[in-house]
Amino acid sequence: MSTDDSILIATDEIDGIWPFLQSIDWRDPWLAVLLTFHIAITMTALMTRNHANFQIILFLVLLLLVYFSESINEVAATNWRVFSRQQYFDSKGLFISIVFSVPILINCMIMVASWLYQSSQLMTSLKRAQLRQQAKNRQLDGETNNSKMAVRQKND
């Protein structure tokens, strides 16, 4: 057994997400950068919820990052010594899925939920405006009919 093998965690030994997350050395600087990235993306998604064009671009970029996470995992697995103290990047992609893709997908779900909420609010205000306009039209039609009847009665 080499020294690199002693710090590896076999994926078949993992019995849950929480023990897996506890086995990670979170003091690794690149993990702090990754955590900062996720916090920044979440804050950006929340603060730009009223800027649809920016959010669409952000959403697509995040989905592209998730799509390419397998390739990112392969590159990180071959070059882990450059930026990490431990080899986290297994061939099945468990690590990158949990610490990279899942938070990104949660951010995407937050954006979609925000879009659905905004759409429902817009539809509600649109329907209220339609009902107000219909009531106004009925009131104007009623006044017009009343004035026509008054003119007829005067002529008779």
Side-chain angles (χ1 to χ4, degrees):
M1 182 186 256
S2 71
T3 58
D4 286 344
D5 292 341
S6 64
I7 59 175
L8 296 179
I9 299 168
T11 55
D12 57 350
E13 293 177 7
I14 298 170
D15 57 354
I17 292 176
W18 188 247
F20 177 72
L21 291 174
Q22 287 177 328
S23 69
I24 296 170
D25 180 17
W26 292 102
R27 292 172 293 169
D28 230 346
W30 76 274
L31 287 171
V33 170
L34 182 64
L35 184 63
T36 304
F37 167 77
H38 288 309
I39 291 170
I41 292 297
T42 302
M43 296 306 293
T44 303
L46 293 174
M47 290 189 306
T48 62
R49 67 183 177 275
N50 295 324
H51 302 282
N53 291 336
F54 180 80
Q55 279 223 325
I56 289 169
I57 292 169
L58 179 64
F59 184 79
L60 292 175
V61 167
L62 291 176
L63 288 182
L64 281 172
L65 284 173
V66 171
Y67 180 77
F68 288 112
S69 65
E70 185 178 356
S71 301
I72 294 169
N73 187 53
E74 290 174 11
V75 170
T78 57
N79 300 310
W80 68 271
R81 285 182 180 88
V82 174
F83 61 90
S84 180
R85 296 180 199 149
Q86 295 183 29
Q87 163 57 305
Y88 294 108
F89 305 96
D90 57 300
S91 61
K92 295 183 182 186
L94 177 68
F95 177 78
I96 199 159
S97 295
I98 290 177
V99 300
F100 183 73
S101 297
V102 169
I104 288 175
L105 290 173
I106 289 171
N107 282 321
C108 289
M109 287 178 11
I110 289 170
M111 283 190 272
V112 169
S114 173
W115 295 341
L116 289 173
Y117 176 76
Q118 289 174 350
S119 296
S120 69
Q121 294 299 310
L122 183 62
M123 287 175 27
T124 302
S125 64
L126 178 63
K127 191 61 178 178
R128 284 183 182 151
Q130 283 179 334
L131 292 173
R132 273 191 237 115
Q133 187 63 39
Q134 288 174 353
K136 188 176 180 181
N137 289 345
R138 274 189 245 125
Q139 185 180 19
L140 290 175
D141 288 344
E143 289 175 4
T144 305
N145 289 340
N146 289 340
S147 63
K148 285 181 183 178
M149 290 178 83
V151 170
R152 283 187 204 153
Q153 287 175 354
K154 285 183 183 180
N155 290 341
D156 291 341

